[in-house]
Structures are given as structure tokens and as C-alpha cells.
Amino acid sequence: MVHARQVGTLSMPGERLTLLDEFGTAHQVSPAADGTLRVGEAAVRIHRAGDGSLLIEGARNLPAWGAVVGSTRWVFLDGRVFTFEADRPQGRRAGSAADAGPLTAPMPATVRTVTVARGDTVRRGDVLVVLEAMKMELPVRAAADGVVSAIHCREGEMVQSGQELIEVTASPGLSSRPQSQRGSNGTEADDRSGAP
Amino acid sequence: MKRVLVANRGEIAVRVIRACREAGLESVAVYSDLDAGALHTRLADHRVRIGPAPPSESYLNIAALVEAGRTSGADAVHPGYGFLSERAAFARACEEAGLVFIGPPADVIDQMGSKIAARALMQRAGVPVVPGATPEDQTDTGIQAAAEGIGYPVLIKASAGGGGKGMRVVRSGAQALEAIPSARREAIAAFGDGTLYVERLIERARHVEVQIFGDAHGNVVHLFERECSLQRRHQKIMEESPSAAVTAAVRERMGEAAVAAATATGYRNAGTIEFLFEGEGDTARFYFLEMNTRLQVEHPVTEGVAGVDLVQAQLLVAAGGRLPWQQRSLVQRGHAIECRVYAEDPCRDFLPQAGPLAIYREPSGPGIRVDSGVVEGDVVGVSYDPLLAKVTVCAEARGAALDRAAAALRAFPILGIHTNIPFLIALLDDPRVRQGSTHTGFVDAHLEQLVHRTRPPAEAIAAAASLQPRRDPQFEGTRRTMGIDPWSTPGRWGR
């Protein structure tokens, strides 16, 4: 039997996490001294087992499941699935070198447009490539401020999941602009800084 | 029969491989490059690569499959469903290569593949077909007279073709006079042949099918009905047995008709007679629609209520054995419902989903059966059918089975890709589904009520906040090339 333990993710007192739901609504979550998580007026106590299952304590305890894939947080609760994207915690330094690197295709897709050229200066969150898969457009955004150092795809090309599309060399000096609200695009290169 | 090549993938390949093991037969899995590490490939006693990912070069490649049968030393082939299961040419190629085809004879597949030939054969066998005719008098008045003879509403269609060309729904004589010339013009334009066919229009019909089974010794039985009216764009979503609309008297008539149909074709092995079903009570009517010359996706429903193993019976009968049951010993007991779990997002027009199964935990418990071809950690692609799993529940009565199915789905977490589970639960909870008052157009007509993304409750938001983002090599995911050999992926085993 795995002993359930209380959450320790939001360890710093007063640290807040902003989660964006599928409607684009932002939700602020902050840890309270009593070990609960505050979501608006609600105080929720969550226990985690090691196998991905969660127990949500309340008037009636609810089993739930969670997983993080790329930058997306997935929650299964009573037959329903919710996904969230975490916004960067406030006060974090923008565009660290770790945010740079190759951007990859999240799924097999066709390259619809490449909106930048080698040597272009880009800001974190800028759309660099637009992919099309299953009749949907998927924008691939810069994970950091920097300079486009290589382009590995062409318009109209079929790319595989994980294939490198474009590389951005970070230039911290460019990051004077305030942190954008949402730089996340679901690509791998982006979630390195996703942890609060 | 000692070694069976399973010419399929996914859950049905897994189902057949397990049945072979149970029967003491060796199994041979075939796989495309994409399926090198798939569950069915790992489970079988032997495995043979048949080609690259596209089905036309692998699972639909008759030459590659027959060659796999030869090199692996198989002596029989199970086609599963879909892919080549209803291709007479495949059955023939197997027979010519000395492989026993686990299914009906090739000429029966051919015969049932032609809708016109099948309809004519059923009529001769006394099986009811949808009333319709190609009038000899093809003048406007001749067609109108035929429509009146059949009774409105009718469907007027081009005798020469399909695809809705030249098709008109006609509800009265006045409408007929207007529709006939335009239908004829359209038929001439599309097919170069203006001959019209008139058929009774059956509205709000149910799809009720009967499982049949024959052996090489002249025995044919039926194993009751399955109701499959819950469909979206002709794709079945949920199937059950018994049907809420079929009374004992009608069931007996349908069973007799299905056995007559199977006998008329000289059928062997498992098959299904599909009927259009209208009305209720003992006066309900049913009409032959088509025959499926293979095992059905929804066969677990029949296994649940009849207490049989259809795949074991397939192996037995293909080896020349007698049917393991007699008609009088078969009973339909309790209620079974199958829910098909698809990798698709109901909230985005049921778009097929691709991605990792970061969490995938199948439910279990009394009366809950899950057939699947995936495990947690697999990466789902869009190259093949989006069916992930089938959840089949059995209970004493229909209401209890609906409750059990909904509870099972609420305990079936799949994360990493969206699935239709929320949609299935909405269907199971719908009052009209609970009443059993559905028809084949029900889901498409009420889609908006059944599909809606809900705003997350505080519990879900807090749960999301509690998650630890991690750099897990397994779900780099999105970084992993689809065709990479999953055998080399660390962390795949031992969970």
C-alpha cells in the first residue's frame, strides 16, 4: 500500500500558480498554511499516491487522476477530463538560456507557414511556424527571446512527431519586455520552465 | 491446426491471440513498423513484420500476409474484423496457400458482398427485405403507381448506383409527380441510366442484428440479437443485448429468419445478419439489411448474455469441429452493454487524437470486461482506427447494466489524449437512452445536448495545481518519433 501524502508542489509560502483552463479562463491557486490549496473561495485538500492517483478530500471524497504531458496538466475527475496550461509564476526571470533550443513538432503534421527567416530576432511567444494536422492549425511559438539560428523545415513539408523544426539561440539581453502572459504552445521545448 | 496467424492489430488481435493460447494453439502476430512494440506484437508466440505503417502496405497487403503465414509455419489465419476480413480474395489466397481461413468460404463472402445478390438470395430464402421494386413501367405514372403500391413514404433512387445520387424522399402522390422527373434526370447525369427504383422509407428505424454460427456439419444456430442503434455517422458507439424493442415472439421470428438466411448461403463460422427494425411489441417488423461475414466488434455483448466464447467456437469450427452448442441449449441471460472508447475529442467534432497514454487504467470488477490493444505509456497515432478499448458490462437487468457501464467509465482514467468517455457517460445517463427509445438517427439528432465541455470545478483546478511537472523520458513525447522502437524506451516495463 502506498501511503498517500499531502501535496508539496507549491512549497513556497504565498507562491501562487495561475492555471488557464480550456475556455482560456485563468484560475489562481495558492497554498494555505493548513495544507489546503485555495481556489477562489474554495479550500481543497489533495492527497497523492505514487501511481498518479489523487484523493480530493471534501464532504465526499473524490478519486481523481493527474498527469503532466509537455506543458499540459491533465486531470480526470468522475469521468470528465480537464486540461490546464500553467502560466509562469510571477517574478520569474524571462527568457533564460534553458528556454532556448530546437522547437519540435508535437504530432505528425504538415508545415503550413514558416513566418521567420534565419537571423530574425524573435520574442518569446512569437509564432515561428504554423503546422496543420487533422484539419487544425498548430502555432509553434518561440520559447524564449532570441535569434533564429536554424530552420529545419519547409512550407508544405510533412513532419513527424518530435522532428526539429526551428532553433532559437537565446539572447537574454533582449528580454527587457514584461513577461508575456502565455508563452506555452504545448511543445517540448517550452515545458522546461513550466515547473513553478 | 496448430499455429494461427492473426492478420490484424489492436484489441481484436489481442483477443484472438489470448483465445489461441487458451486453446493450446500457437499464435503469430503480424505488425507494421508502427506496431513493432504494440501489445498484440508482444503477446503472440511469434511475430512477423509485414510492412510500413500505411495499412495498404501492411494490414491490407494480401501478399505480405500470406507470405508471413508461409514463413512462420502457420496453418490457419484469423482475419479479425475490418481490414481484409470481408475480402473474398484474401480468403481465397489463404486457401490456395494451404492456410485454413477462420471464417466463411470465399464464395459466401463474395455473394454477401453484393447487395443486390444478397437481397435476391434472402428473398428466395423467405427472409423479409425492405419492400421495393424496379417498376417495369418506367413512365412517371408507372413509378407513381409502384410508389402507391408500396405505400408512402417511399425512397426513389437510381437503380444503377448509390451515393445519394437521384435519391428522393417522397411522402405523397403530388410530391412523387414532382420528384420522379428530377430524380430521373439526376440518375441519367450520374450513371447514364435513368432507371428508377422505389423502396419503402423506414423512418426512425432501429439497427438490430442477429449473431449466427454455422459448422461444416450442417448445423446453424443463432445467438440472439444485438441492438446497435446508437451510432454517430454510421459508426456504432454502444451495443446491447437484449434489445429493449424486441419481444420474445419477435425474437423467435428474427432468429428463425437469421438461421434461414445463413442456411441459404451455406454459411460456416461466425456471422451476423443485420436488420432494419421498426415498430414495437409483437407487431414490430424487421427487414434484411446486410450480412457481415466475420466476427463483429461487438461480439462480447453476445458472449455476455449467452455465456459463450465466440472466438473459441471459431477456432473449433475452422478445425472441422462441431458447434459447441445446440439451439435449444442456448439462453439469453441478463443484460450486456458494450461501450466503444475512441481516441477522439467529442468537443472538437470528434477529431481523432494522437499522443501518449500518460495515464491509462482499465476498470475492473464484477461484470466488467475490457478488451483493448494498448497499455499505459503507448503512443496513440492516427494511422489506424481510433478504437482504444471496449468496455462490456453484464448485469441482471438493463437498468443495472446501464449503471454499471457508467460507473466503469467513471473509473477509467485516460490522460494524455482526449477520449469519448465523457460523451459515452452522457449517453448512458440520457433519459431517452434509459427508456430504450432510440433509433439510428438519435445520436446525430441530439449531438449538441450530448457533447459539451464543462468548466472545471475547484477540485479539478486544485488537482491540476498539485501535479509535479516532470521531465519524464517516456513522455518526451511529443519529442519521440512515432516509428522509434519502443523496446528501447526506458521505463516501459515494470509498472
Side-chain angles (χ1 to χ4, degrees):
Chain A
M1 175 68 198
V2 178
H3 288 282
R5 61 184 172 85
Q6 238 158 281
V7 280
T9 312
L10 303 171
S11 49
M12 288 167 64
E15 189 181 348
R16 277 197 313 194
L17 180 66
T18 304
L19 294 175
L20 295 170
D21 69 18
E22 287 149 70
F23 297 85
T25 307
H27 303 275
Q28 305 260 322
V29 185
S30 38
D34 63 357
T36 62
L37 293 172
R38 294 288 154 86
V39 184
E41 299 291 296
V44 184
R45 190 182 298 276
I46 293 173
H47 301 274
R48 277 201 326 212
D51 65 349
S53 70
L54 306 166
L55 177 66
I56 301 171
E57 229 177 70
R60 192 176 164 200
N61 293 343
L62 290 168
W65 300 79
V68 183
V69 181
S71 63
T72 307
R73 291 156 186 255
W74 293 74
V75 171
F76 180 93
L77 179 66
D78 201 30
R80 289 179 295 168
V81 172
F82 303 98
T83 63
F84 301 88
E85 298 288 333
D87 222 5
R88 298 293 184 278
Q90 288 164 7
R92 192 190 151 86
R93 189 174 60 88
S96 70
D99 288 334
L103 290 164
T104 59
M107 61 170 75
T110 306
V111 179
R112 195 182 168 115
T113 41
V114 179
T115 56
V116 290
R118 192 157 171 263
D120 281 2
T121 299
V122 295
R123 295 283 191 179
R124 179 168 169 267
D126 285 354
V127 175
L128 308 181
V129 175
V130 179
L131 300 175
E132 189 178 297
M134 299 188 291
K135 294 177 192 161
M136 288 184 314
E137 288 193 1
L138 307 164
V140 175
R141 297 169 192 274
D145 297 346
V147 174
V148 176
S149 50
I151 294 176
H152 302 296
C153 61
R154 282 193 318 274
E155 289 181 7
E157 185 189 348
M158 273 291 297
V159 291
Q160 291 305 309
S161 176
Q163 189 172 327
E164 290 181 5
L165 303 173
I166 202 159
E167 282 182 54
V168 176
T169 305
S171 348
L174 291 167
S175 59
S176 53
R177 190 174 73 156
Q179 186 67 46
S180 75
Q181 277 306 294
R182 190 183 181 189
S184 155
N185 62 29
T187 59
E188 180 66 17
D190 205 43
D191 75 357
R192 295 175 191 186
S193 56
Chain B
M1 233 166 79
K2 288 193 171 61
R3 188 176 290 179
V4 178
L5 180 103
V6 184
N8 216 299
R9 66 177 302 282
E11 69 87 15
I12 193 61
V14 170
R15 165 83 180 92
V16 174
I17 289 164
R18 289 191 172 135
C20 287
R21 181 150 301 153
E22 214 174 277
L25 299 170
E26 285 183 33
S27 56
V28 182
V30 295
Y31 64 94
S32 71
D33 291 338
L34 210 53
D35 282 338
L39 185 60
H40 79 276
T41 311
R42 304 203 306 259
L43 278 182
D45 298 308
H46 311 275
R47 58 197 170 109
V48 181
R49 177 191 175 271
I50 46 166
S56 60
E57 295 171 53
S58 49
Y59 299 104
L60 287 172
N61 184 341
I62 293 178
L65 287 162
V66 171
E67 176 66 9
R70 201 185 56 76
T71 56
S72 64
D75 47 21
V77 172
H78 194 301
Y81 56 70
F83 290 128
L84 294 169
S85 61
E86 292 186 279
R87 292 272 188 93
F90 182 52
R92 241 171 236 126
C94 289
E95 280 161 23
E96 281 161 14
L99 299 161
V100 175
F101 183 76
I102 304 175
D107 58 326
V108 176
I109 300 177
D110 254 344
Q111 202 170 23
M112 291 297 113
S114 155
K115 291 215 175 194
I116 296 165
R119 180 184 159 96
L121 181 78
M122 291 306 149
Q123 270 182 303
R124 283 200 299 279
V127 177
V129 296
V130 178
T134 307
E136 270 182 42
D137 180 0
Q138 283 279 321
T139 63
D140 290 5
T141 46
I143 306 247
Q144 196 192 9
E148 259 140 42
I150 288 163
Y152 295 110
V154 298
L155 206 55
I156 294 177
K157 36 184 179 179
S159 213
K165 289 274 163 50
M167 203 184 279
R168 296 285 184 283
V169 173
V170 173
R171 298 179 187 280
S172 68
Q175 260 186 9
L177 280 179
E178 212 172 288
I180 292 164
S182 73
R184 187 183 292 122
R185 277 196 302 275
E186 212 171 290
I188 292 169
F191 310 109
D193 181 350
T195 310
L196 296 178
Y197 177 83
V198 187
E199 186 181 86
R200 236 197 86 209
L201 175 68
I202 297 176
E203 293 178 289
R204 297 174 70 85
R206 291 170 182 262
H207 174 120
V208 181
E209 59 188 30
V210 176
Q211 175 73 50
I212 57 98
F213 219 117
D215 66 18
H217 307 277
N219 303 304
V220 179
V221 300
H222 74 84
L223 294 103
F224 316 106
E225 82 281 12
R226 291 183 292 255
E227 154 115 35
C228 316
S229 297
L230 292 175
Q231 313 178 346
R232 193 185 67 84
R233 295 186 189 167
H234 305 292
Q235 185 187 49
K236 293 171 186 170
I237 303 166
M238 218 178 261
E239 303 94 344
E240 62 183 300
S241 183
S243 162
V246 177
T247 64
V250 174
R251 178 169 301 117
E252 199 173 319
R253 290 194 341 245
M254 288 184 92
E256 280 167 11
V259 168
T263 307
T265 63
Y267 203 82
R268 278 206 315 266
N269 222 292
T272 293
I273 316 282
E274 294 187 344
F275 293 105
L276 268 182
F277 189 98
E278 68 168 344
E280 6 183 274
D282 287 348
T283 58
R285 280 168 296 183
F286 55 89
Y287 308 99
F288 173 80
L289 197 59
E290 62 180 85
M291 179 167 193
N292 296 316
T293 54
R294 55 172 162 86
L295 188 71
Q296 300 274 106
V297 176
E298 60 271 26
H299 75 274
V301 166
T302 297
E303 295 183 326
V305 289
V308 298
D309 186 326
L310 292 172
V311 178
Q312 288 297 355
Q314 284 194 295
L315 298 172
L316 182 74
V317 163
R322 287 177 181 274
L323 279 182
W325 336 282
Q326 288 175 310
Q327 189 68 63
R328 60 186 156 75
S329 64
L330 287 166
V331 287
Q332 191 182 25
R333 190 160 174 270
H335 199 96
I337 300 175
E338 176 186 273
C339 300
R340 300 190 188 190
V341 177
Y342 289 110
E344 58 188 23
D345 186 354
C347 294
R348 278 196 275 170
D349 201 23
F350 293 88
L351 267 180
Q353 299 288 294
L357 296 173
I359 292 278
Y360 175 89
R361 310 281 163 91
E362 295 177 352
S364 61
I368 298 172
R369 163 181 174 178
V370 181
D371 290 84
S372 69
V374 294
V375 295
E376 189 168 288
D378 279 356
V379 176
V380 174
V382 290
S383 298
Y384 305 117
D385 191 272
L387 182 69
L388 284 179
K390 309 184 300 199
V391 177
T392 309
V393 301
C394 293
E396 293 89 333
R398 187 166 189 271
L402 288 165
D403 291 344
R404 179 162 285 169
L409 292 171
R410 286 193 166 94
F412 193 174
I414 301 176
L415 297 178
I417 55 170
H418 284 286
T419 74
N420 67 338
I421 284 179
F423 170 65
L424 291 169
I425 293 170
L427 260 184
L428 289 164
D429 287 347
D430 187 278
R432 291 154 298 195
V433 172
R434 304 229 30 134
Q435 277 167 25
S437 58
T438 54
H439 54 90
T440 52
F442 174 84
V443 171
D444 289 316
H446 300 101
L447 206 55
E448 279 178 24
Q449 294 166 37
L450 295 163
V451 174
H452 48 88
R453 217 185 271 292
T454 44
R455 291 193 180 271
E459 288 82 2
I461 299 163
S466 79
L467 299 172
Q468 296 272 22
R470 52 180 185 170
R471 293 195 47 80
D472 183 337
Q474 189 171 0
F475 302 125
E476 251 176 72
T478 55
R479 178 175 280 273
R480 189 165 121 198
T481 308
M482 302 294 270
I484 213 166
D485 181 6
W487 295 97
S488 65
T489 307
R492 193 177 175 95
W493 298 93
R495 39 174 66 247

